[in-house]
Amino acid sequence: MKLTPLLALTAALLGWSLASQADDKPLKVGFVYVSPIGDAGWTYMHDRARKIVEEEFGDKIETNYVESVAEGADSERVIRNLSARGYDLIFTTSFGYMNPTLKVARRFPQVKYEHATGYKTARNVGNYQARAYQARYLAGMTAGAMSSTNQIGYVAAFPIPEVIRGINAFTLGAQATNPNVKVKVVWINTWHDPAKEREAADSLILQNVDVLTMHTDSPAVIQAAEARGVYSVGFNSDMSHYGPKSHLTAAVMHWESIYRDKIQAVLDGTWEPKAIWHGLKEGVVDVAPFNEAVPEWVVEKVNTVKMQIINGEHAVFEGPIYNQAGELMVKEGEQLSDEELIELEWYVKGIDG
């Protein structure tokens, strides 16, 4: 049937309208979280960043999240469901999501994925990390200076390079202000279990530690320190409201700049499956405000080293560094490369674990 000029114009306008609606369709961005969002910790800071970029981009994006997703089969199911529901960009925010993300990505080549803290990429999978070890070092400096028993306790999740790297950096920082300090490590093999975290913290206090820190997700360690009258150092977020007296500072993370850049790249059509590792210099990691109990000389020293790290004048893993057995692992004047840091599987001298 031949269209009349009026019908042809109507059809053209309708087609233009539908195309405009398609062009104006917001980018669907999904987030997968390993623990409850809560009001502190790892997932809380990722979700805080999600809210920040959602507000900044306005109607250009639409975000959603799934929290408390176990690593392994559960995460694969959740990532697959988000992919099938038309999400354009999916952030998977825990180390154990790495292989499930890669597996799902092969089935959904049109979707872009970004995995946090792992080390693998693929055609449609990028990777992003925070140099948390830089903030860990600064927090360790604070802890070492405040310990009178020279014993610090560390509640740790899983023995993977990311966590070991943090323990080592914290210990090196503590030794920079207190050469006699020892760090006792207790592994609980979970990212988020307040009861286990509290139990581990209490057991460390019984071993004469007077400063506690952790690489877990809840504030249970801070609460234990506050209840038992010892100092604490938080992780991921400022946890001072859980320990007004005990909380000295925290190694904190701000993911919004990474999320902003990744989302903008997808909107611009310039996204690439890159691996990035941002730290103090990029504003992704930092230390929280200091407790009034921390002496001014400690604050000044920490801030000086912070600026040296930002300016490239100080490296956390610069030699000489010895391992737990007293063997020289990093010679004086040398430092561990990023490749070596990603695979780090040994303790520095002074760790009991």
Side-chain angles (χ1 to χ4, degrees):
M1 181 180 70
K2 187 175 180 180
L3 294 176
T4 66
L6 179 60
L7 286 175
L9 178 61
T10 302
L13 289 172
L14 179 60
W16 177 84
S17 176
L18 291 173
S20 295
Q21 289 175 11
D23 290 342
D24 293 340
K25 182 181 177 182
L27 184 78
K28 294 185 68 174
V29 185
F31 293 78
V32 184
Y33 301 146
V34 74
S35 56
I37 293 171
D39 61 356
W42 173 263
T43 292
Y44 169 75
M45 292 305 283
H46 280 283
D47 197 62
R48 177 179 177 274
R50 178 190 68 83
K51 292 176 179 176
I52 289 172
V53 296
E54 184 178 56
E55 183 175 352
E56 290 177 351
F57 282 99
D59 58 8
K60 292 181 180 179
I61 68 171
E62 172 190 321
T63 76
N64 202 352
Y65 63 87
V66 184
E67 60 185 318
S68 301
V69 178
E71 296 171 328
D74 279 356
S75 64
E76 182 181 333
R77 174 182 55 78
V78 169
I79 298 165
R80 184 173 61 248
N81 286 347
L82 287 172
S83 304
R85 286 165 53 195
Y87 280 82
D88 307 293
L89 173 62
I90 299 173
F91 292 98
T92 60
T93 64
S94 189
F95 180 83
Y97 295 161
M98 180 170 63
N99 288 329
T101 299
L102 291 164
K103 186 175 180 180
V104 174
R106 289 194 289 269
R107 292 185 56 185
F108 295 88
Q110 79 282 6
V111 180
K112 296 173 177 59
Y113 302 85
E114 288 282 353
H115 174 249
T117 76
Y119 53 89
K120 296 179 181 178
T121 60
R123 188 186 67 81
N124 58 331
V125 181
N127 174 271
Y128 61 105
Q129 295 196 62
R131 293 187 186 273
Y133 66 87
Q134 294 177 336
R136 287 283 200 187
Y137 183 88
L138 301 176
M141 291 178 65
T142 309
M146 298 299 289
S147 176
S148 56
T149 66
N150 299 328
Q151 302 289 329
I152 296 176
Y154 204 119
V155 179
F158 294 99
I160 59 174
E162 173 196 351
V163 182
I164 294 171
R165 194 165 57 237
I167 296 170
N168 284 343
F170 186 91
T171 302
L172 291 172
Q175 292 169 348
T177 54
N178 183 350
N180 298 316
V181 80
K182 304 289 183 184
V183 176
K184 297 177 181 291
V185 180
V186 172
W187 296 97
I188 62 171
N189 295 308
T190 179
W191 295 116
H192 184 271
D193 188 326
K196 281 187 176 181
E197 294 168 53
R198 181 66 180 258
E199 182 181 356
D202 287 338
S203 73
L204 285 164
I205 293 171
L206 292 174
Q207 297 176 55
N208 202 36
V209 307
D210 60 353
V211 185
L212 286 170
T213 192
M214 77 288 192
H215 192 136
T216 48
D217 202 10
S218 88
V221 172
I222 310 302
Q223 293 170 313
E226 185 77 4
R228 301 291 292 275
V230 302
Y231 288 127
S232 63
V233 172
F235 182 51
N236 293 312
S237 65
D238 183 349
M239 297 182 170
S240 56
H241 58 289
Y242 285 101
K245 296 179 181 178
S246 73
H247 189 272
L248 298 173
T249 186
V252 299
M253 266 131 20
H254 302 283
W255 299 98
E256 52 268 24
S257 65
I258 291 177
Y259 290 149
R260 183 183 300 116
D261 290 348
K262 297 287 187 181
I263 291 170
Q264 189 64 58
V266 175
L267 289 171
D268 293 342
T270 59
W271 182 89
E272 296 177 353
K274 298 185 295 185
I276 63 170
W277 202 356
H278 289 175
L280 286 169
K281 184 177 181 180
E282 296 83 7
V284 174
V285 304
D286 204 347
V287 284
F290 295 92
N291 191 302
E292 292 180 356
V294 181
E296 188 61 31
W297 73 265
V298 178
V299 175
E300 290 179 358
K301 189 173 182 66
V302 170
N303 285 332
T304 296
V305 174
K306 173 183 171 180
M307 291 309 303
Q308 289 174 340
I309 293 174
I310 291 173
N311 295 331
E313 300 165 358
H314 182 97
V316 170
F317 290 99
E318 184 173 355
I321 299 177
Y322 296 84
N323 68 9
Q324 203 175 27
E327 301 166 327
L328 181 64
M329 301 299 287
V330 186
K331 297 178 181 178
E332 186 170 0
E334 298 182 359
Q335 57 183 274
L336 293 179
S337 66
D338 282 356
E339 291 74 20
E340 290 170 319
L341 288 174
I342 287 172
E343 298 177 354
L344 194 60
E345 293 182 338
W346 48 269
Y347 279 148
V348 301
K349 187 177 180 180
I351 295 176
D352 179 8

